[in-house]
Amino acid sequence: MSRLHVSLPGLNMKNPILPASGCFGFGKEYAKWYDLSVLGGITIKAATLEGRFGNPTPRVAETESGMLNAIGLQNPGVMKILENEIPALEPFNIPILANIAGSTEEEYIEVTRQISSSPQVSAVELNISCPNVKEGGIQFGTHYESAADLTRKVKAVSEKPVYVKLSPNVSNIVEMAQAVEEAGADGLSMINTLVGMKLDWRTGNPILANKTGGLSGPAIKPVAIRMIYEVSQKVSLPIIGMGGVSTAEDVLEMMSAGASAVAVGTANFVNPYVCPEIIEQLPKLLDEIGVENISEMTGRSTKQWKTPLSSR
Amino acid sequence: MSRLHVSLPGLNMKNPILPASGCFGFGKEYAKWYDLSVLGGITIKAATLEGRFGNPTPRVAETESGMLNAIGLQNPGVMKILENEIPALEPFNIPILANIAGSTEEEYIEVTRQISSSPQVSAVELNISCPNVKEGGIQFGTHYESAADLTRKVKAVSEKPVYVKLSPNVSNIVEMAQAVEEAGADGLSMINTLVGMKLDWRTGNPILANKTGGLSGPAIKPVAIRMIYEVSQKVSLPIIGMGGVSTAEDVLEMMSAGASAVAVGTANFVNPYVCPEIIEQLPKLLDEIGVENISEMTGRSTKQWKTPLSSR
Amino acid sequence: MKKHLLNITSNIEIARNIFEMKLTGPGVGSMTTPGQFLHVSVGNQSSKLLRRPLSICDVDQERKEVTLLYRAQGEGTKQLSHKSAEEVVDVLGPLGNGFELAENDHNRKALLIGGGIGVPPLYYLGKHLKKKGIEVTFILGYQSIEDSFYIEKFKDFGETIVTTVDGSLGIKGFVTDAMKNVVEDEPVIYSVGPAIMLKAVEERAIGLRGYLSLEERMGCGIGACFACVCPTETRESGYVKICSDGPVFKMGEVVL
Amino acid sequence: MKKHLLNITSNIEIARNIFEMKLTGPGVGSMTTPGQFLHVSVGNQSSKLLRRPLSICDVDQERKEVTLLYRAQGEGTKQLSHKSAEEVVDVLGPLGNGFELAENDHNRKALLIGGGIGVPPLYYLGKHLKKKGIEVTFILGYQSIEDSFYIEKFKDFGETIVTTVDGSLGIKGFVTDAMKNVVEDEPVIYSVGPAIMLKAVEERAIGLRGYLSLEERMGCGIGACFACVCPTETRESGYVKICSDGPVFKMGEVVL
Ligand SMILES: Cc1cc2nc3c(=O)[nH]c(=O)nc-3n(C[C@H](O)[C@H](O)[C@H](O)COP(=O)(O)OP(=O)(O)OC[C@H]3O[C@@H](n4cnc5c(N)ncnc54)[C@H](O)[C@@H]3O)c2cc1C
Ligand SMILES: Cc1cc2nc3c(=O)[nH]c(=O)nc-3n(C[C@H](O)[C@H](O)[C@H](O)COP(=O)(O)OP(=O)(O)OC[C@H]3O[C@@H](n4cnc5c(N)ncnc54)[C@H](O)[C@@H]3O)c2cc1C
Ligand SMILES: Cc1cc2nc3c(=O)[nH]c(=O)nc-3n(C[C@H](O)[C@H](O)[C@H](O)COP(=O)(O)O)c2cc1C
Ligand SMILES: Cc1cc2nc3c(=O)[nH]c(=O)nc-3n(C[C@H](O)[C@H](O)[C@H](O)COP(=O)(O)O)c2cc1C
Ligand code: FES
Ligand code: FES
């Protein structure tokens, strides 16, 4: 087995790198740039029950070392995704993590039921943290009981392991993580974007048509690292870490904080080859620090002390 | 009256620019660089009842377009501040905003009582949001009732207007703002730092001795703008905006979002002259967009629509 | 599709805040279609993450040299304007679908209408159309004479009508003010500029065949992030992506 | 105190990852005291906000040229190492308090002990002490021969003993392994290096007078942010700020 191999519920990955949801479409665009079979896995764009057009444009804005997006969950709907998008990924033979969104519990449940029954889908990622649509699930993402409740119901119908994607826009990420753990989640994805905004100083108008958007990119990495560090000490679920990762060094930092696999989002826009480049770089860095298997990296920052550390 | 003049409770400022607490010491270091009387005001470093040594070093780390700090409220204690530090600012004849921290309600109350009675102090800033000390008030900063309670008690003893400095590490900043408004705050300062962390990828160890720290700098500006934008529509208190401001354009962006004055923190470390340079630049930008008085900028982003906009 | 590191051969201001950047490298070989764009990184190690879409303005295949014209307006393009010869620029491209070159229209006329920083791609397009023997007319709209550029060069390929908003050069007004008799003339329309201009052009050109090149803020530039969509009534999905389905669309195809 | 824009006259690698940068400008006039440092901005418009403290290694007041020696290890210093002659570097300084030059010690000896990237400020210090007629001995500690630099230049000012951890040059071991007979010799000690080295030096030099230059991660570099404190038992406040009260302290003054 390769030294980069990692194994998470439903996701048997030849390396810990997968693109983050919404930053890689359904894969076919990047398949024109490189052979996707080098990836550890792929997270596909959020699926809702019916197709959605999303928000008006402009949908993106640049910020210092980051970007704002307010795409608004545009997608063709779960049926078309199952018909057209997922089959196209078959040749690459990599685990597929299907991101799921909705406005109501019923929508989440139905989308999960449909998508998790595809033999190609390895696991589902419950997006209860999209800040960009009025009914994008953010109500579940900041309210612990609703999140736990939804997790329980989705788990009941899912044929595949369920990862819950946490919003960083909460007072206490640990309590949120514990709530969904207790509700039966198989893993956590964290973090989604921070809610942010940018105005044109000349006019005072927001750049985004949606006004606010989700902040991603290197700017938010310190928040992601902190939250993964805190949560990994208090729950025993595996964590797919994300938030500002753009280099192999970032991947090892995030795994040290407690992540078992790492998703790369915004960095794909900066460099479409970023995922394969990171994957190529990882063994060199492991050599540099004398670590044989990358899975040993997970949680190094806390393992070094005998008792778990709380950070404040 | 100058076109840059702004007036907030207790703070009659010849321009809207003041250094942020903790980023400017007690002023005397920067007084070696320029004449502080050009400033609209000055926020001094947090005072506690007794002197505190703060956290072990390293206390700062660099992140992309930002930095982490975990100073830990080091200060000589309120008495020495009143004896040695505040009098040294007298020659500059600018409003002084005194930042107050504590571990207990009693400490906050006592520090406020003492410092607000100084004739040189124009207003106090209640720091209920320091993420870097176990007992730095963060328990008040993320719990609405405790924050309101503390505000009420501090207001009762303060001889000067009270600004409450809000933490961005909350699920709902608007509810927090409303709670302290109801409790009688005279104004809001926002935002304090986001809790973040950085690890050395080679060792897995945190860079900061305190492990986690507060994220500041341009990286967090989109979060600050969003929170000021949301809060300014739901409370009628004046807001001292801060978070990543480093140019005159940033100042106008933040005022457009709803701030009445703007504090500059981390940018002082990048360029010690940043405050006077911004102040010099502001009239040129106002000319460029044809605005006479800077106070007209406050809340432009929302004033342009007839009904207040909620952003999500 | 490819990422290329190109070397700057020159980067000079040719009008107020308008820069002409010439870049060379083997990657230029693939840049053959007018209307396509490059997704340009403005700095290394920098806090500006997103690439800037810039149209291909001209290509010299012998020298393997591509020309971009850009306005230094925001932080990113200003940063680009400070780069000097020999420095390297990281670009993705060529991206998007360019202009259809009206193969069957060789005995017809073409009217190329560009506003402001929409002008550049018309240069490479005009060159191609002229080579095909099509009679080309340009209408180029600028803010004022100080903002105008490349006018003499456009004249190599066809009649060139200039409009300026302040009247300091050519016709005072907008490009549409120079669109007399278009419908009778029956040219094929090719237009690039802000949405508001494209809309006005479309209204003046009802019944004609034409192509519009759209602008929108982009994330990926390659069709993956859904940042740059535009509604359409002619496609089943209900939208197009400007970066990968466009930036050039048939007139009438998208809802402006 | 001042911010200066200095022009790079040269920036070259003189040992493995060790760069010598020479900078010129009128601001150099004020850089007269060994042991002070410059707070150096590593890039414009960049995502690296914090300045890097770098010691003054040498100053040529006639040419108004200051020399810095730095190890390109992290992102910021690597960025600095890519700058070329003619480029401008933004520095604050000179900052901090330098070495006391032992005015009354002209008939005594000085022992200057530097480890790794603590070596540079000893050069300017040695120059000054020699000019005052003091007998100078250097102990310079490096990782290995590839990391060593400036040894021949140090010899101009006094005996120069080298240690390397791997034994590839000079004495195998640490600087303290070269500190024989120090106490009997009674030199004034000047030492720069990591805290662990300074502690070891201090232990070997009990009873001697000496100065230590400390390192710590800095925010402001000018005493305002309290990032760089160090405990002390000799001052009322209980702490010193390395950037403004130091970086040089009397031996015994700070708790290492
Ligand atoms: C297909 C296409 C072709 C283009 N061709 C050219 C050209 O040849 N010459 C030229 O000068 N300009 C062209 N533009 C516009 C150009 O992309 C923007 O002017 C440029 O991105 C602005 O960047 P900035 O750094 O100046 O502004 P900033 O405000 O710093 O940009 C911030 C972010 O907003 C985006 N943005 C801002 N304004 C625009 C805009 N008008 N269109 C798209 N994105 C924008 C930037 O790309 C960046 O992501 C084209 C745009 C598109 C979509
Ligand atoms: C007073 C003083 C004088 C110094 N003189 C020299 C010198 O002459 N030559 C030289 O090569 N180095 C010197 N150093 C150390 C030098 O400042 C660091 O090596 C450098 O800041 C590291 O930056 P980086 O970009 O390589 O690392 P990064 O890891 O990118 O730095 C990130 C942040 O941490 C800080 N940092 C990292 N390591 C150190 C360190 N060892 N000490 C202080 N801050 C650190 C950086 O300044 C920056 O703020 C001195 C330090 C001090 C305090
Ligand atoms: C353009 C864009 C679209 C996104 N769409 C989704 C989405 O559909 N579902 C989801 O769970 N997260 C979505 N995200 C969030 C990312 O998956 C990721 O959690 C976040 O961007 C942080 O990672 P990054 O900093 O590496 O981009 C989106 C992010 C971006 C930038
Ligand atoms: C080194 C440092 C020390 C700080 N100390 C304090 C403090 O004592 N009290 C306080 O209310 N805020 C403190 N802050 C927070 C700032 O006042 C400000 O709210 C925050 O840094 C965001 O602004 P900026 O991005 O402009 O730095 C500190 C920030 C930094 C960087
Ligand atoms: S920019 Fe990403 S889809 Fe067009
Ligand atoms: S670095 Fe700010 S006090 Fe020393």
PDB file of all heavy atoms in Angstrom, chain A residues 65 197 199 201-203 205 222 253 288 300 304, chain B residues 65 197 199 201-203 205 222 253 288 300 304:
ATOM      1  N   SER A  65      -5.849  37.780  -0.046  1.00  0.00           N
ATOM      2  CA  SER A  65      -5.569  36.357   0.148  1.00  0.00           C
ATOM      3  C   SER A  65      -6.823  35.497   0.265  1.00  0.00           C
ATOM      4  O   SER A  65      -6.800  34.445   0.904  1.00  0.00           O
ATOM      5  CB  SER A  65      -4.672  36.114   1.381  1.00  0.00           C
ATOM      6  OG  SER A  65      -3.401  36.671   1.176  1.00  0.00           O
ATOM      7  N   MET A 197     -18.086  40.141   3.135  1.00  0.00           N
ATOM      8  CA  MET A 197     -18.689  41.117   2.231  1.00  0.00           C
ATOM      9  C   MET A 197     -17.626  42.077   1.748  1.00  0.00           C
ATOM     10  O   MET A 197     -16.655  42.360   2.450  1.00  0.00           O
ATOM     11  CB  MET A 197     -19.749  41.893   3.016  1.00  0.00           C
ATOM     12  CG  MET A 197     -20.555  42.857   2.200  1.00  0.00           C
ATOM     13  SD  MET A 197     -21.826  43.576   3.274  1.00  0.00           S
ATOM     14  CE  MET A 197     -22.900  44.271   2.053  1.00  0.00           C
ATOM     15  N   LEU A 199     -17.393  45.955  -0.352  1.00  0.00           N
ATOM     16  CA  LEU A 199     -18.099  47.077  -0.967  1.00  0.00           C
ATOM     17  C   LEU A 199     -17.155  47.809  -1.908  1.00  0.00           C
ATOM     18  O   LEU A 199     -15.947  47.873  -1.677  1.00  0.00           O
ATOM     19  CB  LEU A 199     -18.570  48.075   0.096  1.00  0.00           C
ATOM     20  CG  LEU A 199     -19.437  47.542   1.233  1.00  0.00           C
ATOM     21  CD1 LEU A 199     -19.739  48.666   2.219  1.00  0.00           C
ATOM     22  CD2 LEU A 199     -20.731  46.952   0.690  1.00  0.00           C
ATOM     23  N   TRP A 201     -15.668  51.083  -2.686  1.00  0.00           N
ATOM     24  CA  TRP A 201     -15.562  52.287  -1.853  1.00  0.00           C
ATOM     25  C   TRP A 201     -16.070  53.527  -2.576  1.00  0.00           C
ATOM     26  O   TRP A 201     -16.478  54.498  -1.939  1.00  0.00           O
ATOM     27  CB  TRP A 201     -14.126  52.506  -1.360  1.00  0.00           C
ATOM     28  CG  TRP A 201     -13.154  52.942  -2.421  1.00  0.00           C
ATOM     29  CD1 TRP A 201     -12.366  52.138  -3.168  1.00  0.00           C
ATOM     30  CD2 TRP A 201     -12.888  54.278  -2.838  1.00  0.00           C
ATOM     31  NE1 TRP A 201     -11.618  52.877  -4.036  1.00  0.00           N
ATOM     32  CE2 TRP A 201     -11.912  54.200  -3.854  1.00  0.00           C
ATOM     33  CE3 TRP A 201     -13.366  55.547  -2.465  1.00  0.00           C
ATOM     34  CZ2 TRP A 201     -11.413  55.335  -4.503  1.00  0.00           C
ATOM     35  CZ3 TRP A 201     -12.866  56.663  -3.112  1.00  0.00           C
ATOM     36  CH2 TRP A 201     -11.904  56.558  -4.124  1.00  0.00           C
ATOM     37  N   ARG A 202     -16.072  53.495  -3.906  1.00  0.00           N
ATOM     38  CA  ARG A 202     -16.520  54.686  -4.636  1.00  0.00           C
ATOM     39  C   ARG A 202     -18.027  54.877  -4.556  1.00  0.00           C
ATOM     40  O   ARG A 202     -18.526  55.990  -4.472  1.00  0.00           O
ATOM     41  CB  ARG A 202     -16.145  54.587  -6.117  1.00  0.00           C
ATOM     42  CG  ARG A 202     -14.678  54.759  -6.384  1.00  0.00           C
ATOM     43  CD  ARG A 202     -14.368  54.400  -7.845  1.00  0.00           C
ATOM     44  NE  ARG A 202     -12.953  54.080  -7.962  1.00  0.00           N
ATOM     45  CZ  ARG A 202     -12.014  54.992  -8.163  1.00  0.00           C
ATOM     46  NH1 ARG A 202     -12.342  56.254  -8.313  1.00  0.00           N
ATOM     47  NH2 ARG A 202     -10.751  54.631  -8.226  1.00  0.00           N
ATOM     48  N   THR A 203     -18.747  53.755  -4.643  1.00  0.00           N
ATOM     49  CA  THR A 203     -20.201  53.853  -4.689  1.00  0.00           C
ATOM     50  C   THR A 203     -20.858  53.415  -3.382  1.00  0.00           C
ATOM     51  O   THR A 203     -22.021  53.748  -3.141  1.00  0.00           O
ATOM     52  CB  THR A 203     -20.764  52.933  -5.791  1.00  0.00           C
ATOM     53  OG1 THR A 203     -20.420  51.581  -5.443  1.00  0.00           O
ATOM     54  CG2 THR A 203     -20.166  53.273  -7.144  1.00  0.00           C
ATOM     55  N   ASN A 205     -21.620  50.442  -2.915  1.00  0.00           N
ATOM     56  CA  ASN A 205     -22.409  49.256  -3.254  1.00  0.00           C
ATOM     57  C   ASN A 205     -21.631  47.966  -3.032  1.00  0.00           C
ATOM     58  O   ASN A 205     -20.437  47.917  -3.278  1.00  0.00           O
ATOM     59  CB  ASN A 205     -22.819  49.287  -4.731  1.00  0.00           C
ATOM     60  CG  ASN A 205     -23.856  50.341  -4.995  1.00  0.00           C
ATOM     61  OD1 ASN A 205     -24.616  50.715  -4.108  1.00  0.00           O
ATOM     62  ND2 ASN A 205     -23.875  50.849  -6.217  1.00  0.00           N
ATOM     63  N   PRO A 222      -6.066  29.952   9.058  1.00  0.00           N
ATOM     64  CA  PRO A 222      -5.851  29.896  10.515  1.00  0.00           C
ATOM     65  C   PRO A 222      -7.126  29.547  11.286  1.00  0.00           C
ATOM     66  O   PRO A 222      -7.056  28.878  12.323  1.00  0.00           O
ATOM     67  CB  PRO A 222      -5.385  31.319  10.858  1.00  0.00           C
ATOM     68  CG  PRO A 222      -4.860  31.891   9.574  1.00  0.00           C
ATOM     69  CD  PRO A 222      -5.672  31.257   8.491  1.00  0.00           C
ATOM     70  N   GLU A 253       0.138  20.589   7.614  1.00  0.00           N
ATOM     71  CA  GLU A 253      -0.277  21.400   8.764  1.00  0.00           C
ATOM     72  C   GLU A 253      -1.688  21.010   9.191  1.00  0.00           C
ATOM     73  O   GLU A 253      -1.971  20.809  10.374  1.00  0.00           O
ATOM     74  CB  GLU A 253      -0.226  22.898   8.404  1.00  0.00           C
ATOM     75  CG  GLU A 253      -0.581  23.805   9.592  1.00  0.00           C
ATOM     76  CD  GLU A 253      -0.684  25.281   9.217  1.00  0.00           C
ATOM     77  OE1 GLU A 253      -0.536  25.630   8.025  1.00  0.00           O
ATOM     78  OE2 GLU A 253      -0.946  26.094  10.137  1.00  0.00           O
ATOM     79  N   GLU A 288      11.501  14.585   4.064  1.00  0.00           N
ATOM     80  CA  GLU A 288      12.234  15.658   4.744  1.00  0.00           C
ATOM     81  C   GLU A 288      12.087  15.567   6.258  1.00  0.00           C
ATOM     82  O   GLU A 288      13.020  15.901   6.994  1.00  0.00           O
ATOM     83  CB  GLU A 288      11.696  17.001   4.229  1.00  0.00           C
ATOM     84  CG  GLU A 288      12.694  18.127   4.286  1.00  0.00           C
ATOM     85  CD  GLU A 288      12.115  19.412   3.705  1.00  0.00           C
ATOM     86  OE1 GLU A 288      11.505  19.360   2.601  1.00  0.00           O
ATOM     87  OE2 GLU A 288      12.256  20.465   4.352  1.00  0.00           O
ATOM     88  N   ARG A 300      -0.980  14.972  14.953  1.00  0.00           N
ATOM     89  CA  ARG A 300       0.339  15.079  15.587  1.00  0.00           C
ATOM     90  C   ARG A 300       0.388  16.173  16.639  1.00  0.00           C
ATOM     91  O   ARG A 300       1.039  16.068  17.660  1.00  0.00           O
ATOM     92  CB  ARG A 300       1.375  15.470  14.523  1.00  0.00           C
ATOM     93  CG  ARG A 300       2.142  14.336  13.958  1.00  0.00           C
ATOM     94  CD  ARG A 300       3.406  14.842  13.298  1.00  0.00           C
ATOM     95  NE  ARG A 300       3.163  15.985  12.420  1.00  0.00           N
ATOM     96  CZ  ARG A 300       4.120  16.770  11.951  1.00  0.00           C
ATOM     97  NH1 ARG A 300       5.381  16.537  12.262  1.00  0.00           N
ATOM     98  NH2 ARG A 300       3.825  17.772  11.154  1.00  0.00           N
ATOM     99  N   GLN A 304       1.302  14.711  20.666  1.00  0.00           N
ATOM    100  CA  GLN A 304       2.595  14.855  21.312  1.00  0.00           C
ATOM    101  C   GLN A 304       2.492  15.073  22.811  1.00  0.00           C
ATOM    102  O   GLN A 304       3.458  14.917  23.526  1.00  0.00           O
ATOM    103  CB  GLN A 304       3.362  15.999  20.647  1.00  0.00           C
ATOM    104  CG  GLN A 304       3.648  15.654  19.194  1.00  0.00           C
ATOM    105  CD  GLN A 304       4.383  16.772  18.495  1.00  0.00           C
ATOM    106  OE1 GLN A 304       4.592  17.810  19.074  1.00  0.00           O
ATOM    107  NE2 GLN A 304       4.781  16.544  17.258  1.00  0.00           N
TER     108      GLN A 304
ATOM    109  N   SER B  65      -1.858  37.394   4.567  1.00  0.00           N
ATOM    110  CA  SER B  65      -2.549  38.676   4.710  1.00  0.00           C
ATOM    111  C   SER B  65      -3.101  38.910   6.110  1.00  0.00           C
ATOM    112  O   SER B  65      -4.090  39.625   6.276  1.00  0.00           O
ATOM    113  CB  SER B  65      -3.684  38.826   3.677  1.00  0.00           C
ATOM    114  OG  SER B  65      -3.144  38.912   2.388  1.00  0.00           O
ATOM    115  N   MET B 197      -5.154  29.752  14.374  1.00  0.00           N
ATOM    116  CA  MET B 197      -4.020  28.955  14.823  1.00  0.00           C
ATOM    117  C   MET B 197      -3.109  28.647  13.659  1.00  0.00           C
ATOM    118  O   MET B 197      -3.559  28.548  12.519  1.00  0.00           O
ATOM    119  CB  MET B 197      -4.565  27.636  15.383  1.00  0.00           C
ATOM    120  CG  MET B 197      -3.535  26.764  16.035  1.00  0.00           C
ATOM    121  SD  MET B 197      -4.381  25.349  16.738  1.00  0.00           S
ATOM    122  CE  MET B 197      -3.094  24.700  17.770  1.00  0.00           C
ATOM    123  N   LEU B 199       0.304  26.012  12.718  1.00  0.00           N
ATOM    124  CA  LEU B 199       1.225  24.972  13.164  1.00  0.00           C
ATOM    125  C   LEU B 199       2.457  24.980  12.266  1.00  0.00           C
ATOM    126  O   LEU B 199       2.378  25.292  11.091  1.00  0.00           O
ATOM    127  CB  LEU B 199       0.562  23.584  13.054  1.00  0.00           C
ATOM    128  CG  LEU B 199      -0.774  23.375  13.755  1.00  0.00           C
ATOM    129  CD1 LEU B 199      -1.285  21.960  13.465  1.00  0.00           C
ATOM    130  CD2 LEU B 199      -0.632  23.593  15.246  1.00  0.00           C
ATOM    131  N   TRP B 201       4.541  22.920  10.069  1.00  0.00           N
ATOM    132  CA  TRP B 201       4.236  21.636   9.416  1.00  0.00           C
ATOM    133  C   TRP B 201       5.323  20.599   9.661  1.00  0.00           C
ATOM    134  O   TRP B 201       5.079  19.404   9.571  1.00  0.00           O
ATOM    135  CB  TRP B 201       3.996  21.814   7.924  1.00  0.00           C
ATOM    136  CG  TRP B 201       5.219  22.152   7.125  1.00  0.00           C
ATOM    137  CD1 TRP B 201       5.671  23.389   6.799  1.00  0.00           C
ATOM    138  CD2 TRP B 201       6.158  21.225   6.543  1.00  0.00           C
ATOM    139  NE1 TRP B 201       6.825  23.298   6.071  1.00  0.00           N
ATOM    140  CE2 TRP B 201       7.147  21.981   5.885  1.00  0.00           C
ATOM    141  CE3 TRP B 201       6.259  19.832   6.509  1.00  0.00           C
ATOM    142  CZ2 TRP B 201       8.232  21.398   5.221  1.00  0.00           C
ATOM    143  CZ3 TRP B 201       7.329  19.250   5.837  1.00  0.00           C
ATOM    144  CH2 TRP B 201       8.304  20.040   5.202  1.00  0.00           C
ATOM    145  N   ARG B 202       6.543  21.049   9.956  1.00  0.00           N
ATOM    146  CA  ARG B 202       7.613  20.075  10.167  1.00  0.00           C
ATOM    147  C   ARG B 202       7.470  19.319  11.482  1.00  0.00           C
ATOM    148  O   ARG B 202       7.743  18.130  11.561  1.00  0.00           O
ATOM    149  CB  ARG B 202       8.973  20.784  10.192  1.00  0.00           C
ATOM    150  CG  ARG B 202       9.440  21.237   8.841  1.00  0.00           C
ATOM    151  CD  ARG B 202      10.656  22.145   8.992  1.00  0.00           C
ATOM    152  NE  ARG B 202      10.786  22.977   7.816  1.00  0.00           N
ATOM    153  CZ  ARG B 202      11.420  22.593   6.720  1.00  0.00           C
ATOM    154  NH1 ARG B 202      11.998  21.429   6.667  1.00  0.00           N
ATOM    155  NH2 ARG B 202      11.471  23.390   5.672  1.00  0.00           N
ATOM    156  N   THR B 203       7.039  20.044  12.517  1.00  0.00           N
ATOM    157  CA  THR B 203       6.967  19.431  13.840  1.00  0.00           C
ATOM    158  C   THR B 203       5.537  19.159  14.283  1.00  0.00           C
ATOM    159  O   THR B 203       5.310  18.364  15.189  1.00  0.00           O
ATOM    160  CB  THR B 203       7.578  20.376  14.893  1.00  0.00           C
ATOM    161  OG1 THR B 203       6.785  21.576  14.926  1.00  0.00           O
ATOM    162  CG2 THR B 203       9.005  20.749  14.540  1.00  0.00           C
ATOM    163  N   ASN B 205       3.919  21.334  15.808  1.00  0.00           N
ATOM    164  CA  ASN B 205       3.702  22.189  16.985  1.00  0.00           C
ATOM    165  C   ASN B 205       3.092  23.535  16.606  1.00  0.00           C
ATOM    166  O   ASN B 205       3.423  24.095  15.579  1.00  0.00           O
ATOM    167  CB  ASN B 205       5.023  22.466  17.696  1.00  0.00           C
ATOM    168  CG  ASN B 205       5.557  21.235  18.382  1.00  0.00           C
ATOM    169  OD1 ASN B 205       4.790  20.357  18.770  1.00  0.00           O
ATOM    170  ND2 ASN B 205       6.873  21.167  18.511  1.00  0.00           N
ATOM    171  N   PRO B 222     -13.201  41.285   5.127  1.00  0.00           N
ATOM    172  CA  PRO B 222     -14.541  40.959   4.622  1.00  0.00           C
ATOM    173  C   PRO B 222     -15.511  40.553   5.724  1.00  0.00           C
ATOM    174  O   PRO B 222     -16.708  40.828   5.636  1.00  0.00           O
ATOM    175  CB  PRO B 222     -14.276  39.792   3.658  1.00  0.00           C
ATOM    176  CG  PRO B 222     -12.827  39.897   3.290  1.00  0.00           C
ATOM    177  CD  PRO B 222     -12.140  40.485   4.489  1.00  0.00           C
ATOM    178  N   GLU B 253     -14.725  52.244   2.661  1.00  0.00           N
ATOM    179  CA  GLU B 253     -15.528  51.017   2.528  1.00  0.00           C
ATOM    180  C   GLU B 253     -16.211  50.699   3.856  1.00  0.00           C
ATOM    181  O   GLU B 253     -17.410  50.406   3.903  1.00  0.00           O
ATOM    182  CB  GLU B 253     -14.636  49.848   2.083  1.00  0.00           C
ATOM    183  CG  GLU B 253     -15.422  48.545   1.883  1.00  0.00           C
ATOM    184  CD  GLU B 253     -14.536  47.331   1.591  1.00  0.00           C
ATOM    185  OE1 GLU B 253     -13.292  47.463   1.596  1.00  0.00           O
ATOM    186  OE2 GLU B 253     -15.111  46.247   1.377  1.00  0.00           O
ATOM    187  N   GLU B 288     -12.541  62.859  -5.115  1.00  0.00           N
ATOM    188  CA  GLU B 288     -12.679  61.984  -6.280  1.00  0.00           C
ATOM    189  C   GLU B 288     -14.121  61.524  -6.463  1.00  0.00           C
ATOM    190  O   GLU B 288     -14.579  61.358  -7.597  1.00  0.00           O
ATOM    191  CB  GLU B 288     -11.752  60.781  -6.082  1.00  0.00           C
ATOM    192  CG  GLU B 288     -11.310  60.130  -7.375  1.00  0.00           C
ATOM    193  CD  GLU B 288     -10.334  58.989  -7.128  1.00  0.00           C
ATOM    194  OE1 GLU B 288      -9.378  59.166  -6.343  1.00  0.00           O
ATOM    195  OE2 GLU B 288     -10.538  57.922  -7.724  1.00  0.00           O
ATOM    196  N   ARG B 300     -23.721  54.455   3.776  1.00  0.00           N
ATOM    197  CA  ARG B 300     -24.129  54.638   2.383  1.00  0.00           C
ATOM    198  C   ARG B 300     -24.673  53.369   1.755  1.00  0.00           C
ATOM    199  O   ARG B 300     -25.595  53.401   0.942  1.00  0.00           O
ATOM    200  CB  ARG B 300     -22.901  55.026   1.541  1.00  0.00           C
ATOM    201  CG  ARG B 300     -22.723  56.475   1.313  1.00  0.00           C
ATOM    202  CD  ARG B 300     -21.785  56.713   0.146  1.00  0.00           C
ATOM    203  NE  ARG B 300     -20.577  55.901   0.218  1.00  0.00           N
ATOM    204  CZ  ARG B 300     -19.754  55.715  -0.806  1.00  0.00           C
ATOM    205  NH1 ARG B 300     -20.019  56.266  -1.982  1.00  0.00           N
ATOM    206  NH2 ARG B 300     -18.667  54.980  -0.683  1.00  0.00           N
ATOM    207  N   GLN B 304     -28.861  53.738   0.449  1.00  0.00           N
ATOM    208  CA  GLN B 304     -29.257  53.895  -0.945  1.00  0.00           C
ATOM    209  C   GLN B 304     -30.575  53.205  -1.268  1.00  0.00           C
ATOM    210  O   GLN B 304     -31.197  53.478  -2.275  1.00  0.00           O
ATOM    211  CB  GLN B 304     -28.151  53.387  -1.855  1.00  0.00           C
ATOM    212  CG  GLN B 304     -26.889  54.205  -1.666  1.00  0.00           C
ATOM    213  CD  GLN B 304     -25.762  53.733  -2.560  1.00  0.00           C
ATOM    214  OE1 GLN B 304     -25.892  52.719  -3.205  1.00  0.00           O
ATOM    215  NE2 GLN B 304     -24.681  54.491  -2.604  1.00  0.00           N
TER     216      GLN B 304
END
